[in-house]
Amino acid sequence: MQAASNQTDGTVGQPITYEKIPTQIFADSKEASNAVAQEIADLIRRKQKEGKSCVLGLATGSSPKTVYARLIKMHREEGLSFKNVISFNLDEYYQMEPDSIYSYHRFMKEQLFDHVDIPKENYFLPDGTVPPALLRDYCISYENKISAVGGLDFQLLGIGGNGHVGFNEPGSLINARTRLITLDHSTRAAAAMEFGGLHKVPRKAITLGVAPILSARRIVLLAWGERKASVIRGAVEGPVTERNPASYLQAHPDVSFVVDESAASELTRVKTPWAVDSVVWDNKMIKKAVTHLSKSLGKPILKLTDKDYNDNGMSDLLAQYGSGYEININVFNQLQHTITGWPGGKPNADDTNRPERAQPAKKRVLIFSPHPDDDIISMGGTFQRLVDQGHEVHVAYQTSGNIAVADDEALRFIDFVVDFNKGFGIDSPEANKLFLDAKTFLKHTKDSEIDTPEIRQVKGILRRGEAKATCRFVGIPTSQAHFLNMPFYETGTVQKKPIGEEDIKIVENLIEEIKPHQIYAAGDFADPHGTHKVCWDAIEAALERSKHKNFMKDCWVWLYRGAWAEWDIYEIEMAVPMSPDQVLKKRQGIFKHQSQKDGVVFQGDDSREFWQRAEERNSGTAHLYDELGLAEYEAMEAFVRWKF
């Protein structure tokens, strides 16, 4: 954990404080969540000893899930009782039935209340079914209930991509009370994944206002992942503004932001630590500083001067290494050595300065794809290169991806099967009934219902067919496409089960079967509960079990990223360039996933399609290399090596 940083302006005793809110940075969200859960547990126990109630303000969303899981574990294993806890949730969608799979009532019951001994009459959530005419009085009464029990002892918050806390969207005033609010488009887009499409996300919500949030005696805000980095910096280091409602927390006397390293990546002490304090100039820090200097000045690395270093807080680096020229050459060469058109290694070549080994010349390659399209979206050009260069490439599709299929796509698929059977005189009463039941369910499903196992299977079959089409397009036999259907995923909702022994064993057995020289896996860990992160957890556990085996001594693991974000330039260890023709071919491969095209279920807050996002990311990486003074390419896919 790191403390907030200051920088002096040259006057003794007159520090310039970058961080206006105390911010604790943890290595990962699990470690951070455990610390927050421990603080809450300590508060509950202290209040119990005093014979008092502990009044908690609780949040929903992905960020607090691990906090709640830890509290449940403490209840079960350490005897932590919630009998003296009174809780108030921040918000609820409107209109929203409490038993809907999308409701925060249901979320809180599943994530916490049903697993601890909190009395049912002690937890309160905004009612998403209150008639419009009664809403104003209802919101006043909700606040009055909080006041009646003495106010909030502790308020747990998440933060939206636009800075909202609760559902206090940009434009909310610091004195805003509990009310019905119209949700910002970016908020609705971010929730589209949970609802199965933007059109299903409610446009309104009831939220606790900024003023009652600030009245809590203690506030802790959680943020995980690089997607929150920019808004965290604005809230912590920027001005207080209604454009970023989380910045209002700067005025609170006892608030902490608890973030992981990714969410902290835009903070001054993390992004440019040499500008805040002395640093250890190891190789990674030098690469980070030099590439940042080059980008910020708009100068290629080899044109940076001693004056550039001195003028930008890097004089100690210059003093340590003597010359900017030597530093420039060193970093330039390291970046140059990451570029390769031979991701599987170039046969019969000197591999001293190449990111991959030359031997064996023909490698067994295993690409792990969390969903049935991550392989082609995230590393389609590299996938194609590996096949074209003669390697034995296998793809492991870890999950069925069925929840990412829209209902109308499933109906279209069902109609095709029925018409196919009729057209060829295939009479199957069982199949006809199955499809009829499925059509009826999809047309009349309610928000409180999840897809039936049959519907999930239909959607999974659809995505399996698309993945096979991609493999054929790239040029590998479908016998080298492995559909793992990991059990943790098969819940029918965005909320997944934790990985279990069966999930890990499936991955371990496949690695044992193929004995790969190379493994590629998704390295997107922004959401600790997201499918990519859970899939990686299974891979990591399997690798830990297998690392002692002989074949693993010659296995390298490369991490790729998805359509949203790329590795920072100083982190990249292998960059595979792509020509214009290869970019177009990758796009055609992505098009094989028709169910994910033209307004996909999980569009997020980005209106572009997956192929557009991927192309822009890949071209952006190539452009960055070009700006730093290296060779100019149309596009690049980037990788970081994971060592075990």
Side-chain angles (χ1 to χ4, degrees):
M1 185 172 66
Q2 303 177 22
S5 304
N6 295 333
Q7 183 190 38
T8 64
D9 61 359
T11 305
V12 176
Q14 298 295 322
I16 299 172
T17 304
Y18 283 108
E19 295 175 14
K20 303 168 188 176
I21 296 175
T23 304
Q24 299 171 327
I25 304 173
F26 289 81
D28 55 48
S29 60
K30 183 178 180 180
E31 182 183 340
S33 296
N34 288 345
V36 174
Q38 188 62 56
E39 179 178 347
I40 294 172
D42 290 345
L43 176 62
I44 293 172
R45 289 183 174 122
R46 185 168 72 250
K47 289 285 187 175
Q48 285 170 349
K49 288 181 180 179
E50 296 170 356
K52 297 178 181 178
S53 296
C54 180
V55 186
L56 303 178
L58 300 179
T60 53
S62 177
S63 297
K65 285 181 180 177
T66 306
V67 173
Y68 297 150
R70 177 62 180 161
L71 288 171
I72 292 168
K73 186 175 182 182
M74 295 168 82
H75 169 69
R76 291 173 174 170
E77 298 180 4
E78 301 174 19
L80 175 65
S81 175
F82 288 75
K83 288 183 179 179
N84 71 319
V85 171
I86 301 172
S87 74
F88 293 87
N89 264 74
L90 283 165
D91 42 33
E92 178 61 283
Y93 290 108
Y94 186 82
Q95 298 268 344
M96 181 64 66
E97 295 290 336
D99 66 341
S100 168
I101 59 173
Y102 309 123
S103 81
Y104 288 158
H105 280 73
R106 185 162 177 168
F107 175 96
M108 289 304 304
K109 285 173 66 63
E110 292 177 351
Q111 296 296 321
L112 181 63
F113 298 152
D114 286 351
H115 307 284
V116 297
D117 61 346
I118 183 171
K120 190 172 183 180
E121 63 274 14
N122 278 17
Y123 57 81
F124 302 91
L125 299 93
D127 185 351
T129 66
V130 174
L134 302 179
L135 265 172
R136 183 176 180 278
D137 288 342
Y138 173 78
C139 291
I140 293 173
S141 70
Y142 194 75
E143 281 195 32
N144 288 340
K145 286 179 182 177
I146 297 175
S147 299
V149 294
L152 297 170
D153 293 309
F154 183 101
Q155 176 64 64
L156 186 65
L157 296 174
I159 184 171
N162 60 7
H164 73 231
V165 287
F167 275 134
N168 292 284
E169 301 284 22
S172 297
L173 300 179
I174 195 168
N175 61 350
R177 310 305 306 188
T178 301
R179 67 208 184 280
L180 183 70
I181 193 166
T182 298
L183 298 176
D184 188 78
H185 172 77
S186 65
T187 298
R188 295 182 63 242
M193 180 175 179
E194 284 81 3
F195 283 83
L198 180 62
H199 65 287
K200 293 184 178 180
V201 182
R203 295 182 180 275
K204 296 180 183 294
I206 300 172
T207 184
L208 199 67
V210 177
I213 288 173
L214 290 176
S215 70
R217 286 178 278 279
R218 166 74 170 148
I219 299 176
V220 172
L221 183 146
L222 311 175
W224 321 133
E226 61 269 7
R227 294 187 202 174
K228 300 293 177 68
S230 177
V231 74
I232 286 294
R233 179 174 184 176
V236 172
E237 297 186 1
V240 175
T241 171
E242 70 276 7
R243 294 183 180 181
N244 185 344
S247 67
Y248 290 139
L249 296 172
Q250 292 180 22
H252 196 275
D254 189 9
V255 60
S256 294
F257 278 24
V258 176
V259 301
D260 65 4
E261 291 179 349
S262 296
S265 61
E266 290 294 319
L267 293 176
T268 301
R269 63 163 144 147
V270 176
K271 190 170 186 177
T272 56
W274 52 88
V276 174
D277 203 352
S278 60
V279 298
V280 176
W281 287 110
D282 57 17
N283 188 60
K284 184 176 181 180
M285 185 65 74
I286 293 172
K287 284 176 67 179
K288 181 176 183 176
V290 173
T291 52
H292 176 81
L293 182 62
S294 176
K295 288 187 293 179
S296 61
L297 296 180
K299 296 175 68 171
I301 289 173
L302 295 179
K303 290 187 177 182
L304 295 175
T305 66
D306 288 1
K307 185 175 186 301
D308 293 328
Y309 283 89
N310 281 323
D311 289 350
N312 289 276
M314 297 164 63
S315 58
D316 54 339
L317 172 61
L318 202 60
Q320 185 172 331
Y321 286 88
S323 161
Y325 175 79
E326 294 298 329
I327 300 170
N328 296 345
I329 288 290
N330 176 34
V331 174
F332 180 89
N333 285 339
Q334 288 188 61
L335 293 174
Q336 180 67 45
H337 295 157
T338 66
I339 303 172
T340 180
W342 298 82
K346 188 173 184 178
N348 305 314
D350 180 3
D351 58 12
T352 304
N353 293 318
R354 292 180 177 275
E356 251 294 353
R357 308 146 292 169
Q359 299 298 324
K362 182 177 180 180
K363 294 182 173 67
R364 289 184 300 276
V365 179
L366 176 56
I367 300 171
F368 281 102
S369 183
H371 301 96
D373 55 0
D374 288 313
D375 54 331
I376 192 69
I377 290 172
S378 301
M379 55 170 291
T382 304
F383 186 178
Q384 188 69 64
R385 282 280 181 87
L386 290 165
V387 173
D388 291 346
Q389 291 168 359
H391 301 286
E392 180 188 320
V393 181
H394 296 254
V395 185
Y397 298 103
Q398 291 178 266
T399 71
S400 67
N402 52 27
I403 66 166
V405 178
D407 289 350
D408 59 347
E409 282 290 324
L411 283 169
R412 185 168 65 87
F413 186 71
I414 289 169
D415 281 338
F416 171 81
V417 174
V418 172
D419 290 343
F420 180 91
N421 286 347
K422 287 181 180 177
F424 287 93
I426 301 172
D427 185 21
S428 173
E430 296 85 357
N432 289 338
K433 183 179 185 306
L434 188 154
F435 289 121
L436 180 62
D437 290 347
K439 288 183 70 171
T440 301
F441 176 86
L442 289 173
K443 287 181 177 179
H444 300 96
T445 183
K446 298 178 181 178
D447 284 348
S448 59
E449 298 176 298
I450 63 174
D451 284 346
T452 64
E454 292 78 15
I455 295 292
R456 298 205 297 272
Q457 186 169 358
V458 167
K459 292 181 175 181
I461 291 171
L462 192 160
R463 296 212 68 184
R464 179 187 291 232
E466 293 171 342
K468 287 181 177 179
T470 296
C471 289
R472 287 191 292 267
F473 177 78
V474 173
I476 68 169
T478 54
S479 60
Q480 289 169 214
H482 308 269
F483 296 92
L484 306 188
N485 292 321
M486 292 172 65
F488 84 90
Y489 184 88
E490 296 303 322
T491 63
T493 69
V494 172
Q495 174 66 27
K496 306 304 180 193
K497 295 179 289 187
I499 59 166
E501 174 61 26
E502 189 177 0
D503 298 297
I504 298 169
K505 199 66 182 175
I506 287 170
V507 174
E508 183 184 4
N509 288 344
L510 183 64
I511 293 173
E512 175 71 34
E513 175 189 340
I514 294 173
K515 295 180 173 58
H517 301 97
Q518 273 190 332
I519 288 175
Y520 290 86
D524 307 90
F525 305 148
D527 181 357
H529 306 281
T531 298
H532 283 211
K533 178 61 168 66
V534 179
C535 283
W536 168 251
D537 289 343
I539 295 169
E540 186 176 21
L543 290 173
E544 180 64 27
R545 295 181 181 185
S546 303
K547 65 182 182 182
H548 66 282
K549 298 178 181 178
N550 285 333
F551 73 87
M552 288 301 296
K553 296 174 183 176
D554 198 29
C555 180
W556 287 16
V557 179
W558 293 98
L559 300 180
Y560 60 81
R561 283 196 168 172
W564 283 272
E566 188 55 274
W567 300 104
D568 283 329
I569 186 70
Y570 69 91
E571 297 176 301
I572 296 172
E573 295 177 89
M574 180 164 69
V576 181
M578 300 163 65
S579 69
D581 286 345
Q582 289 167 330
V583 171
L584 181 59
K585 188 167 186 179
K586 174 176 175 175
R587 183 193 304 177
Q588 292 168 340
I590 296 173
F591 284 177
K592 299 300 179 184
H593 295 269
Q594 283 295 308
S595 71
Q596 304 301 292
K597 195 175 180 301
D598 300 327
V600 297
V601 172
F602 300 157
Q603 198 73 14
D605 58 2
D606 189 333
S607 61
R608 296 170 300 164
E609 294 186 38
F610 286 129
W611 67 270
Q612 294 172 310
R613 303 180 205 185
E615 285 186 15
E616 191 162 311
R617 177 174 63 88
N618 296 157
S619 65
T621 303
H623 183 62
L624 182 53
Y625 269 79
D626 179 36
E627 286 184 319
L628 296 178
L630 291 105
E632 182 178 2
Y633 294 98
E634 180 72 12
M636 281 179 161
E637 293 174 340
F639 303 86
V640 168
R641 188 178 168 199
W642 183 80
K643 300 178 177 65
F644 55 93

